[in-house]
Amino acid sequence: MTPLIIGLLSGLVGIVLGALGILAFHLSERQRRERIEVGEPVLPEGAAEVLSVVGRAYVIVDAVDGVVRASPAAYAFGLVRGHTVVHKELLELIRRVRRDGVIEERQLELPRGPLGQGTIIIQVRVAPIGDEYILLLADDRTEITRTEAMRNDFVANVSHELKTPVGAISLLAEALEGAAGDEVAVRRFAQRMQKESSRLSAMVQDIIELSRLQGANVVQSGKPVDLNAVVAEAVDRNKLPAEAKDISIVVGGKLELPVYGDADLLTTALRNLIDNAIRYAPEHSTVGVGLRSREGLAVISVTDQGPGISAEEQERIFERFYRVDAARSRQTGGTGLGLSIVKHVIAEHAGEVSVWSQPGQGSTFTVRLPEMDQEPEENQAGDAPAAKRTNGAEDSREQGVSA
């Protein structure tokens, strides 16, 4: 062949090879686009809009359990981390629904947070959605479940506690009937019946108080409250039991700023706190009530000279019906609800109640409540006198409590 013919044949081969390369490239691109379209299925039309208004945490997973979409609540509940479902219990439900195609609903208690501190109780509903997705809906039932458990415990405790005075009154009534001719026995049984009926009445009253407190809304119904007047009223309501034991109630200090809340509820709380001190204080002793302001908080301390409370018992004394010494509580007429009422009321007022005590050295219960700010005009007009009055209140409080 001549060089010319060889060159033409080489050129022709090159053109053919180039055309085949271009054709192969286009075929490859078409196949790639088809694979992409097949590999990226979409949610059923309208599903995203429905999920956005459903009002429950949701998670959507694909065929390999990867998280396609999740609500902020699902992350907040700790159900999802990144693109992964965290809990194996949820993954098992998802896989079972994918396999069987049957909707499942379950209530689960799961660890909350990456380190497992605390738990969350959720009601979950798992269902297939579309051809390849699984939808998980979750509703936080933690507080509802715990409230129901508390209510059941409360009913059980009330039933148990009411049995004692009711049973005692029944037995005493029988004994009284049998001793009708014995004047001394009749008088003794009658006194015991009066004591048990008083205890029963106090318990019923405390239960009513606690029920009323749980339905109160301090935020909506509150107003400025003068704690000096509240303390005075609480002390006045405890004068009779204090006089019966020859106990002096000494009040020291004064609060210049009001707090926001319900005066009746705060009076109930402080009355219970002072009543508790009187019940456990020895005869011929003193119960001190101190008032002072500190760092924007109204601080009220109630100190007694009673037997004191061990460190182990201090963690439980605010529980309903818990008594450090059940036998002593029966003697003093305590119901085991007083300190629970105190804690509930103070918590509703955004405050706290704490206790310091040592066996043999008495106890001091301290209530802290946020004070209301003064008006700007009052601050400008009387900053120095107000500070002076506060210092005087602290001095008088110290004298009153130590008296």
Side-chain angles (χ1 to χ4, degrees), residues 220-241:
Q220 293 182 356
S221 62
K223 58 184 179 181
V225 177
D226 179 8
L227 284 180
N228 302 290
V230 167
V231 169
E233 177 66 19
V235 170
D236 186 65
R237 294 187 187 184
N238 281 288
K239 278 187 176 179
L240 287 178

Side-chain angles (χ1 to χ4, degrees), residues 343-402:
K343 181 178 180 180
H344 190 91
V345 171
I346 300 307
E348 286 293 311
H349 286 77
E352 65 173 10
V353 56
S354 59
V355 59
W356 175 92
S357 184
Q358 288 186 358
Q361 298 188 27
S363 305
T364 297
F365 288 83
T366 303
V367 170
R368 296 176 180 86
L369 294 165
E371 295 178 321
M372 294 181 67
D373 293 331
Q374 285 181 315
E375 295 296 329
E377 295 79 12
E378 293 178 358
N379 288 335
Q380 295 172 2
D383 278 347
K388 183 176 180 180
R389 287 192 297 272
T390 301
N391 292 336
E394 290 189 10
D395 293 339
S396 59
R397 184 193 72 83
E398 297 297 336
Q399 294 172 3
V401 171
S402 61

Side-chain angles (χ1 to χ4, degrees), residues 245-293:
K245 296 181 66 174
D246 192 24
I247 291 176
S248 300
I249 304 177
V250 179
V251 181
K254 186 178 180 182
L255 294 167
E256 299 296 335
L257 297 178
V259 300
Y260 183 83
D262 187 305
D264 290 337
L265 296 183
L266 289 170
T267 301
T268 297
L270 292 172
R271 176 184 62 79
N272 277 281
L273 208 54
I274 297 171
D275 175 73
N276 185 74
I278 293 171
R279 289 179 186 278
Y280 289 94
E283 295 182 351
H284 319 299
S285 63
T286 300
V287 169
V289 182
L291 298 87
R292 61 192 174 101
S293 296

Side-chain angles (χ1 to χ4, degrees), residues 33-101:
R33 285 195 300 270
E34 289 176 352
R35 283 198 301 269
I36 291 175
E37 290 173 359
V38 172
E40 294 288 343
V42 295
L43 292 173
E45 185 177 355
E49 289 76 7
V50 171
L51 290 173
S52 66
V53 297
V54 75
R56 298 173 71 181
Y58 68 84
V59 181
I60 300 174
V61 298
D62 58 20
V64 292
D65 295 336
V67 175
V68 176
R69 181 175 298 183
S71 66
Y75 287 95
F77 291 166
L79 307 182
V80 176
R81 193 177 305 127
H83 294 283
T84 305
V85 176
V86 173
H87 304 287
K88 63 179 182 180
E89 296 91 342
L90 297 178
L91 287 172
E92 289 173 1
L93 273 176
I94 289 169
R95 290 163 185 168
R96 192 155 57 242
V97 169
R98 182 185 294 116
R99 183 191 66 214
D100 301 336

